[in-house]
Amino acid sequence: MSDKLRFDCSKCPGYCCSHERIAVSEYDIARLAKHFGLTNAEAKRRFTYHYKTKEADEQILRHQRDHVYKSICRFFDTEERRCTVYEARPNVCRKYPYGTRCGYYEFLKFEREHQDDDEFIPSA
């Protein structure tokens, strides 16, 4: 199997950025703070919220409204469909989709070919 990436994020409307819980570490918050010229505490307050259940205890990136997915990462440009903090993005974003394939990209590519529309975005 080839190690070559089999997806193109520039052709996706930002599916991974619409995940409900985008957990960030203290290191990620520090990177964002540096990017915006803020203290770590101010970045944490402005950009994240604390999420705690029996299964999880995380700092989560805040979201904003989106016309495609209803809700998306606060750092996502909803018109250009691109990350606005790409160089400072959290580790979870850097690692996604954790391999050479992205299931959503494959689904999207199939649907766009089937619909004969390069801009088609399937609704949920």
Side-chain angles (χ1 to χ4, degrees):
M1 178 184 261
S2 170
D3 285 346
K4 186 179 179 195
L5 295 180
R6 297 183 183 178
F7 58 92
D8 181 354
C9 294
S10 71
K11 302 212 185 290
C12 178
Y15 173 74
C16 60
C17 304
S18 74
H19 289 186
E20 197 172 302
R21 288 178 22 223
I22 303 171
V24 292
S25 67
E26 292 297 324
Y27 182 80
D28 295 323
I29 294 167
R31 187 185 306 121
L32 287 166
K34 182 178 179 182
H35 179 78
F36 286 102
L38 302 171
T39 65
N40 291 7
E42 180 66 8
K44 188 175 197 174
R45 186 188 68 73
R46 287 178 56 186
F47 306 144
T48 72
Y49 66 94
H50 187 227
Y51 177 85
K52 187 172 183 176
T53 66
K54 290 180 193 175
E55 296 80 29
D57 187 0
E58 305 166 321
Q59 282 302 121
I60 306 295
L61 285 181
R62 295 184 184 277
H63 270 218
Q64 62 179 317
R65 288 186 180 171
D66 183 49
H67 66 277
V68 173
Y69 296 112
K70 188 177 177 184
S71 173
I72 201 157
C73 175
R74 71 169 328 276
F75 296 119
F76 195 77
D77 183 321
T78 58
E79 295 305 315
E80 295 293 321
R81 309 306 301 172
R82 300 285 173 263
C83 178
T84 63
V85 295
Y86 190 80
E87 293 302 319
R89 71 195 185 281
N91 280 331
V92 68
C93 304
R94 292 167 187 264
K95 293 177 182 176
Y96 192 85
Y98 310 107
T100 59
R101 302 180 92 114
C102 175
Y104 183 79
Y105 178 75
E106 290 178 12
F107 167 71
L108 186 62
K109 188 175 171 186
F110 171 83
E111 284 296 322
R112 286 178 173 175
E113 288 170 4
H114 183 73
Q115 300 294 332
D116 195 26
D117 179 354
D118 290 339
E119 304 295 317
F120 180 75
I121 301 173
S123 59

